[in-house]
Amino acid sequence: MNQRSFRLAAATGCALLVATLAPAYAGSANASSSAAGRVTAPLVGVMDIPWLNGPVVVAHRGASQVAPENTLAAVDAADRQGFKWVENDVQQTRDGKLVVMHDPTLTRTTNARRVFPQRAPWRVQDFTAAEIARLDAGSWFGKRFARERVPTLAEFLRRMEDHDLRLLLEIKNPQLYPGIEARIVKELSGAGWLDRGHVRRRLVVQSFSASSVRTVHRLVPGVRTGFLGNPPLNALASYTRYVDQINPQLSKVDAQYVSAVHRLRGVHGRRMEVFAWDVPLRNYARIASAYGFDGVIV
């Protein structure tokens, strides 16, 4: 999608992803850690949050239609195509490093079978970061991407910063990696992504695990968070204690469900939002309008 396409979509007035970041309540100019291990991001008053102008969409795993998913090339492509938000997936290596990878195994998007033929089933958690760095993460998509590697979270954050992009970060399979939330928070803080500007407008953390999202909110209460899934209507209110968004698969919800979410206020006092995923790029504006979505991940 190019810039002209975005301008045309904006003219429709459809409600798409308007991902301003969480309000906060008090804090210093820089993120800091308390004795309890809680990272306190710089927080501002609820009414200080400036809503972004115009609708945008989120590039799922980067511009993954034109570059290998979750790579730096996909970030570059998202920027060239005019996206302002990029979604990625974070997992942990055997030696406790954070890498950007969607699947629990390395086989679909790398040459792990060839490089490490005796290491079946080639799970991310069974390899060190140095071993994963040896893999080709681009050839499966096209020969011109043969030099692409699996990026670390730190590398990914730097490339996002280079392009001034905003990040929808998914904690993938957190049950496999006890303590991964604290490691992610530490990485974000060290990269400058928990300062005032990032926390206000450039970062959302989500997961399919409610426990993982609760942990992130406890560690960094100012950061916007989302739960991936579609909780039953009678359970929605319980999520307002630690999330700002309910982010379901398109096929699992209808307009009535979205309205029910919108009637609630999230953990930071604003109307709960709904960012749908698996939304086809060619129909995203019409779908967002029909369902009332606040955001779409295409």
Side-chain angles (χ1 to χ4, degrees), residues 226-249:
F227 174 73
L228 281 162
N230 57 313
L233 292 174
N234 61 6
L236 283 174
S238 66
Y239 287 79
T240 64
R241 296 194 294 268
Y242 56 93
V243 303
D244 304 276
Q245 305 166 0
I246 298 294
N247 300 341
Q249 189 174 18

PDB file of all heavy atoms in Angstrom, residues 226-249:
ATOM      1  N   GLY A 226      -2.794  -4.955  25.211  1.00  0.00           N
ATOM      2  CA  GLY A 226      -3.936  -5.565  24.558  1.00  0.00           C
ATOM      3  C   GLY A 226      -3.975  -7.060  24.796  1.00  0.00           C
ATOM      4  O   GLY A 226      -2.934  -7.712  24.895  1.00  0.00           O
ATOM      5  N   PHE A 227      -5.183  -7.593  24.897  1.00  0.00           N
ATOM      6  CA  PHE A 227      -5.353  -9.043  24.995  1.00  0.00           C
ATOM      7  C   PHE A 227      -5.781  -9.563  23.636  1.00  0.00           C
ATOM      8  O   PHE A 227      -6.769  -9.104  23.051  1.00  0.00           O
ATOM      9  CB  PHE A 227      -6.410  -9.411  26.040  1.00  0.00           C
ATOM     10  CG  PHE A 227      -6.705 -10.889  26.070  1.00  0.00           C
ATOM     11  CD1 PHE A 227      -5.789 -11.773  26.611  1.00  0.00           C
ATOM     12  CD2 PHE A 227      -7.892 -11.398  25.539  1.00  0.00           C
ATOM     13  CE1 PHE A 227      -6.035 -13.138  26.625  1.00  0.00           C
ATOM     14  CE2 PHE A 227      -8.155 -12.750  25.544  1.00  0.00           C
ATOM     15  CZ  PHE A 227      -7.217 -13.630  26.092  1.00  0.00           C
ATOM     16  N   LEU A 228      -5.058 -10.537  23.123  1.00  0.00           N
ATOM     17  CA  LEU A 228      -5.368 -11.146  21.841  1.00  0.00           C
ATOM     18  C   LEU A 228      -6.388 -12.264  22.055  1.00  0.00           C
ATOM     19  O   LEU A 228      -6.096 -13.279  22.694  1.00  0.00           O
ATOM     20  CB  LEU A 228      -4.094 -11.718  21.206  1.00  0.00           C
ATOM     21  CG  LEU A 228      -3.185 -10.705  20.513  1.00  0.00           C
ATOM     22  CD1 LEU A 228      -1.788 -11.271  20.322  1.00  0.00           C
ATOM     23  CD2 LEU A 228      -3.786 -10.298  19.172  1.00  0.00           C
ATOM     24  N   GLY A 229      -7.565 -12.082  21.520  1.00  0.00           N
ATOM     25  CA  GLY A 229      -8.616 -13.080  21.687  1.00  0.00           C
ATOM     26  C   GLY A 229      -9.961 -12.411  21.796  1.00  0.00           C
ATOM     27  O   GLY A 229     -10.095 -11.197  21.650  1.00  0.00           O
ATOM     28  N   ASN A 230     -10.973 -13.228  22.046  1.00  0.00           N
ATOM     29  CA  ASN A 230     -12.338 -12.703  22.190  1.00  0.00           C
ATOM     30  C   ASN A 230     -12.988 -13.310  23.423  1.00  0.00           C
ATOM     31  O   ASN A 230     -13.729 -14.273  23.334  1.00  0.00           O
ATOM     32  CB  ASN A 230     -13.159 -12.989  20.924  1.00  0.00           C
ATOM     33  CG  ASN A 230     -13.208 -14.461  20.579  1.00  0.00           C
ATOM     34  OD1 ASN A 230     -12.191 -15.139  20.575  1.00  0.00           O
ATOM     35  ND2 ASN A 230     -14.409 -14.980  20.299  1.00  0.00           N
ATOM     36  N   PRO A 231     -12.702 -12.755  24.592  1.00  0.00           N
ATOM     37  CA  PRO A 231     -13.307 -13.255  25.823  1.00  0.00           C
ATOM     38  C   PRO A 231     -14.827 -13.195  25.739  1.00  0.00           C
ATOM     39  O   PRO A 231     -15.396 -12.356  25.027  1.00  0.00           O
ATOM     40  CB  PRO A 231     -12.797 -12.292  26.895  1.00  0.00           C
ATOM     41  CG  PRO A 231     -11.596 -11.646  26.291  1.00  0.00           C
ATOM     42  CD  PRO A 231     -11.858 -11.584  24.826  1.00  0.00           C
ATOM     43  N   PRO A 232     -15.528 -14.085  26.460  1.00  0.00           N
ATOM     44  CA  PRO A 232     -16.990 -14.013  26.469  1.00  0.00           C
ATOM     45  C   PRO A 232     -17.459 -12.678  27.031  1.00  0.00           C
ATOM     46  O   PRO A 232     -16.774 -12.031  27.831  1.00  0.00           O
ATOM     47  CB  PRO A 232     -17.392 -15.183  27.379  1.00  0.00           C
ATOM     48  CG  PRO A 232     -16.178 -15.535  28.153  1.00  0.00           C
ATOM     49  CD  PRO A 232     -15.007 -15.181  27.293  1.00  0.00           C
ATOM     50  N   LEU A 233     -18.639 -12.275  26.608  1.00  0.00           N
ATOM     51  CA  LEU A 233     -19.153 -10.965  26.997  1.00  0.00           C
ATOM     52  C   LEU A 233     -19.200 -10.782  28.502  1.00  0.00           C
ATOM     53  O   LEU A 233     -18.891  -9.696  29.015  1.00  0.00           O
ATOM     54  CB  LEU A 233     -20.553 -10.761  26.395  1.00  0.00           C
ATOM     55  CG  LEU A 233     -20.610 -10.622  24.874  1.00  0.00           C
ATOM     56  CD1 LEU A 233     -22.058 -10.584  24.398  1.00  0.00           C
ATOM     57  CD2 LEU A 233     -19.874  -9.379  24.412  1.00  0.00           C
ATOM     58  N   ASN A 234     -19.579 -11.830  29.224  1.00  0.00           N
ATOM     59  CA  ASN A 234     -19.707 -11.692  30.679  1.00  0.00           C
ATOM     60  C   ASN A 234     -18.363 -11.636  31.395  1.00  0.00           C
ATOM     61  O   ASN A 234     -18.320 -11.431  32.608  1.00  0.00           O
ATOM     62  CB  ASN A 234     -20.566 -12.816  31.261  1.00  0.00           C
ATOM     63  CG  ASN A 234     -19.983 -14.203  31.019  1.00  0.00           C
ATOM     64  OD1 ASN A 234     -18.876 -14.341  30.505  1.00  0.00           O
ATOM     65  ND2 ASN A 234     -20.745 -15.221  31.379  1.00  0.00           N
ATOM     66  N   ALA A 235     -17.269 -11.804  30.661  1.00  0.00           N
ATOM     67  CA  ALA A 235     -15.935 -11.729  31.266  1.00  0.00           C
ATOM     68  C   ALA A 235     -15.187 -10.461  30.887  1.00  0.00           C
ATOM     69  O   ALA A 235     -14.113 -10.184  31.429  1.00  0.00           O
ATOM     70  CB  ALA A 235     -15.116 -12.950  30.867  1.00  0.00           C
ATOM     71  N   LEU A 236     -15.727  -9.688  29.970  1.00  0.00           N
ATOM     72  CA  LEU A 236     -15.002  -8.533  29.454  1.00  0.00           C
ATOM     73  C   LEU A 236     -14.605  -7.548  30.555  1.00  0.00           C
ATOM     74  O   LEU A 236     -13.498  -6.993  30.535  1.00  0.00           O
ATOM     75  CB  LEU A 236     -15.842  -7.813  28.402  1.00  0.00           C
ATOM     76  CG  LEU A 236     -15.909  -8.453  27.018  1.00  0.00           C
ATOM     77  CD1 LEU A 236     -16.895  -7.691  26.134  1.00  0.00           C
ATOM     78  CD2 LEU A 236     -14.531  -8.489  26.371  1.00  0.00           C
ATOM     79  N   ALA A 237     -15.496  -7.332  31.497  1.00  0.00           N
ATOM     80  CA  ALA A 237     -15.220  -6.328  32.536  1.00  0.00           C
ATOM     81  C   ALA A 237     -13.964  -6.657  33.331  1.00  0.00           C
ATOM     82  O   ALA A 237     -13.241  -5.753  33.776  1.00  0.00           O
ATOM     83  CB  ALA A 237     -16.418  -6.196  33.469  1.00  0.00           C
ATOM     84  N   SER A 238     -13.662  -7.933  33.497  1.00  0.00           N
ATOM     85  CA  SER A 238     -12.487  -8.316  34.279  1.00  0.00           C
ATOM     86  C   SER A 238     -11.186  -7.914  33.587  1.00  0.00           C
ATOM     87  O   SER A 238     -10.149  -7.729  34.243  1.00  0.00           O
ATOM     88  CB  SER A 238     -12.496  -9.820  34.551  1.00  0.00           C
ATOM     89  OG  SER A 238     -12.343 -10.562  33.347  1.00  0.00           O
ATOM     90  N   TYR A 239     -11.207  -7.766  32.270  1.00  0.00           N
ATOM     91  CA  TYR A 239     -10.002  -7.390  31.527  1.00  0.00           C
ATOM     92  C   TYR A 239      -9.680  -5.908  31.655  1.00  0.00           C
ATOM     93  O   TYR A 239      -8.547  -5.497  31.391  1.00  0.00           O
ATOM     94  CB  TYR A 239     -10.157  -7.767  30.050  1.00  0.00           C
ATOM     95  CG  TYR A 239     -10.070  -9.251  29.803  1.00  0.00           C
ATOM     96  CD1 TYR A 239     -11.161 -10.081  30.053  1.00  0.00           C
ATOM     97  CD2 TYR A 239      -8.903  -9.840  29.336  1.00  0.00           C
ATOM     98  CE1 TYR A 239     -11.094 -11.454  29.843  1.00  0.00           C
ATOM     99  CE2 TYR A 239      -8.822 -11.211  29.122  1.00  0.00           C
ATOM    100  CZ  TYR A 239      -9.928 -12.009  29.382  1.00  0.00           C
ATOM    101  OH  TYR A 239      -9.843 -13.373  29.177  1.00  0.00           O
ATOM    102  N   THR A 240     -10.650  -5.116  32.055  1.00  0.00           N
ATOM    103  CA  THR A 240     -10.419  -3.679  32.146  1.00  0.00           C
ATOM    104  C   THR A 240      -9.421  -3.318  33.239  1.00  0.00           C
ATOM    105  O   THR A 240      -8.941  -2.193  33.282  1.00  0.00           O
ATOM    106  CB  THR A 240     -11.737  -2.932  32.419  1.00  0.00           C
ATOM    107  OG1 THR A 240     -12.263  -3.323  33.700  1.00  0.00           O
ATOM    108  CG2 THR A 240     -12.769  -3.233  31.335  1.00  0.00           C
ATOM    109  N   ARG A 241      -9.099  -4.267  34.104  1.00  0.00           N
ATOM    110  CA  ARG A 241      -8.154  -3.995  35.185  1.00  0.00           C
ATOM    111  C   ARG A 241      -6.710  -3.941  34.690  1.00  0.00           C
ATOM    112  O   ARG A 241      -5.841  -3.437  35.396  1.00  0.00           O
ATOM    113  CB  ARG A 241      -8.287  -5.051  36.286  1.00  0.00           C
ATOM    114  CG  ARG A 241      -9.637  -5.060  36.980  1.00  0.00           C
ATOM    115  CD  ARG A 241      -9.594  -5.865  38.255  1.00  0.00           C
ATOM    116  NE  ARG A 241      -9.370  -7.277  38.003  1.00  0.00           N
ATOM    117  CZ  ARG A 241     -10.342  -8.185  37.851  1.00  0.00           C
ATOM    118  NH1 ARG A 241     -11.612  -7.790  37.913  1.00  0.00           N
ATOM    119  NH2 ARG A 241     -10.070  -9.440  37.646  1.00  0.00           N
ATOM    120  N   TYR A 242      -6.445  -4.452  33.478  1.00  0.00           N
ATOM    121  CA  TYR A 242      -5.050  -4.481  33.038  1.00  0.00           C
ATOM    122  C   TYR A 242      -4.859  -4.338  31.525  1.00  0.00           C
ATOM    123  O   TYR A 242      -3.725  -4.405  31.048  1.00  0.00           O
ATOM    124  CB  TYR A 242      -4.365  -5.773  33.518  1.00  0.00           C
ATOM    125  CG  TYR A 242      -5.055  -7.049  33.101  1.00  0.00           C
ATOM    126  CD1 TYR A 242      -4.696  -7.712  31.931  1.00  0.00           C
ATOM    127  CD2 TYR A 242      -6.066  -7.601  33.891  1.00  0.00           C
ATOM    128  CE1 TYR A 242      -5.330  -8.876  31.554  1.00  0.00           C
ATOM    129  CE2 TYR A 242      -6.708  -8.769  33.519  1.00  0.00           C
ATOM    130  CZ  TYR A 242      -6.331  -9.400  32.358  1.00  0.00           C
ATOM    131  OH  TYR A 242      -6.963 -10.569  31.982  1.00  0.00           O
ATOM    132  N   VAL A 243      -5.919  -4.117  30.763  1.00  0.00           N
ATOM    133  CA  VAL A 243      -5.739  -3.911  29.326  1.00  0.00           C
ATOM    134  C   VAL A 243      -6.517  -2.691  28.846  1.00  0.00           C
ATOM    135  O   VAL A 243      -7.474  -2.238  29.471  1.00  0.00           O
ATOM    136  CB  VAL A 243      -6.163  -5.143  28.483  1.00  0.00           C
ATOM    137  CG1 VAL A 243      -5.412  -6.384  28.909  1.00  0.00           C
ATOM    138  CG2 VAL A 243      -7.658  -5.356  28.525  1.00  0.00           C
ATOM    139  N   ASP A 244      -6.096  -2.206  27.695  1.00  0.00           N
ATOM    140  CA  ASP A 244      -6.764  -1.102  27.013  1.00  0.00           C
ATOM    141  C   ASP A 244      -7.486  -1.579  25.764  1.00  0.00           C
ATOM    142  O   ASP A 244      -8.335  -0.871  25.230  1.00  0.00           O
ATOM    143  CB  ASP A 244      -5.739  -0.050  26.587  1.00  0.00           C
ATOM    144  CG  ASP A 244      -4.912   0.461  27.747  1.00  0.00           C
ATOM    145  OD1 ASP A 244      -5.383   1.370  28.441  1.00  0.00           O
ATOM    146  OD2 ASP A 244      -3.792  -0.055  27.958  1.00  0.00           O
ATOM    147  N   GLN A 245      -7.103  -2.786  25.285  1.00  0.00           N
ATOM    148  CA  GLN A 245      -7.617  -3.278  24.019  1.00  0.00           C
ATOM    149  C   GLN A 245      -7.995  -4.760  24.122  1.00  0.00           C
ATOM    150  O   GLN A 245      -7.333  -5.524  24.821  1.00  0.00           O
ATOM    151  CB  GLN A 245      -6.550  -3.143  22.924  1.00  0.00           C
ATOM    152  CG  GLN A 245      -6.006  -1.755  22.750  1.00  0.00           C
ATOM    153  CD  GLN A 245      -4.735  -1.755  21.918  1.00  0.00           C
ATOM    154  OE1 GLN A 245      -4.260  -2.789  21.462  1.00  0.00           O
ATOM    155  NE2 GLN A 245      -4.174  -0.575  21.717  1.00  0.00           N
ATOM    156  N   ILE A 246      -9.019  -5.132  23.379  1.00  0.00           N
ATOM    157  CA  ILE A 246      -9.344  -6.526  23.099  1.00  0.00           C
ATOM    158  C   ILE A 246      -9.119  -6.707  21.604  1.00  0.00           C
ATOM    159  O   ILE A 246      -9.768  -6.044  20.785  1.00  0.00           O
ATOM    160  CB  ILE A 246     -10.802  -6.863  23.470  1.00  0.00           C
ATOM    161  CG1 ILE A 246     -11.035  -6.655  24.974  1.00  0.00           C
ATOM    162  CG2 ILE A 246     -11.142  -8.286  23.048  1.00  0.00           C
ATOM    163  CD1 ILE A 246     -10.266  -7.610  25.872  1.00  0.00           C
ATOM    164  N   ASN A 247      -8.205  -7.607  21.233  1.00  0.00           N
ATOM    165  CA  ASN A 247      -7.757  -7.707  19.840  1.00  0.00           C
ATOM    166  C   ASN A 247      -8.050  -9.093  19.281  1.00  0.00           C
ATOM    167  O   ASN A 247      -7.243 -10.009  19.391  1.00  0.00           O
ATOM    168  CB  ASN A 247      -6.265  -7.385  19.749  1.00  0.00           C
ATOM    169  CG  ASN A 247      -5.958  -5.979  20.249  1.00  0.00           C
ATOM    170  OD1 ASN A 247      -6.858  -5.151  20.332  1.00  0.00           O
ATOM    171  ND2 ASN A 247      -4.722  -5.720  20.584  1.00  0.00           N
ATOM    172  N   PRO A 248      -9.220  -9.271  18.660  1.00  0.00           N
ATOM    173  CA  PRO A 248      -9.667 -10.586  18.217  1.00  0.00           C
ATOM    174  C   PRO A 248      -9.343 -10.862  16.750  1.00  0.00           C
ATOM    175  O   PRO A 248      -9.043  -9.954  15.969  1.00  0.00           O
ATOM    176  CB  PRO A 248     -11.179 -10.488  18.396  1.00  0.00           C
ATOM    177  CG  PRO A 248     -11.459  -9.051  18.012  1.00  0.00           C
ATOM    178  CD  PRO A 248     -10.266  -8.253  18.486  1.00  0.00           C
ATOM    179  N   GLN A 249      -9.451 -12.114  16.386  1.00  0.00           N
ATOM    180  CA  GLN A 249      -9.430 -12.488  14.978  1.00  0.00           C
ATOM    181  C   GLN A 249     -10.741 -12.037  14.342  1.00  0.00           C
ATOM    182  O   GLN A 249     -11.806 -12.137  14.950  1.00  0.00           O
ATOM    183  CB  GLN A 249      -9.257 -13.996  14.833  1.00  0.00           C
ATOM    184  CG  GLN A 249      -9.012 -14.470  13.423  1.00  0.00           C
ATOM    185  CD  GLN A 249      -8.698 -15.959  13.361  1.00  0.00           C
ATOM    186  OE1 GLN A 249      -8.969 -16.708  14.302  1.00  0.00           O
ATOM    187  NE2 GLN A 249      -8.124 -16.400  12.259  1.00  0.00           N
TER     188      GLN A 249
END
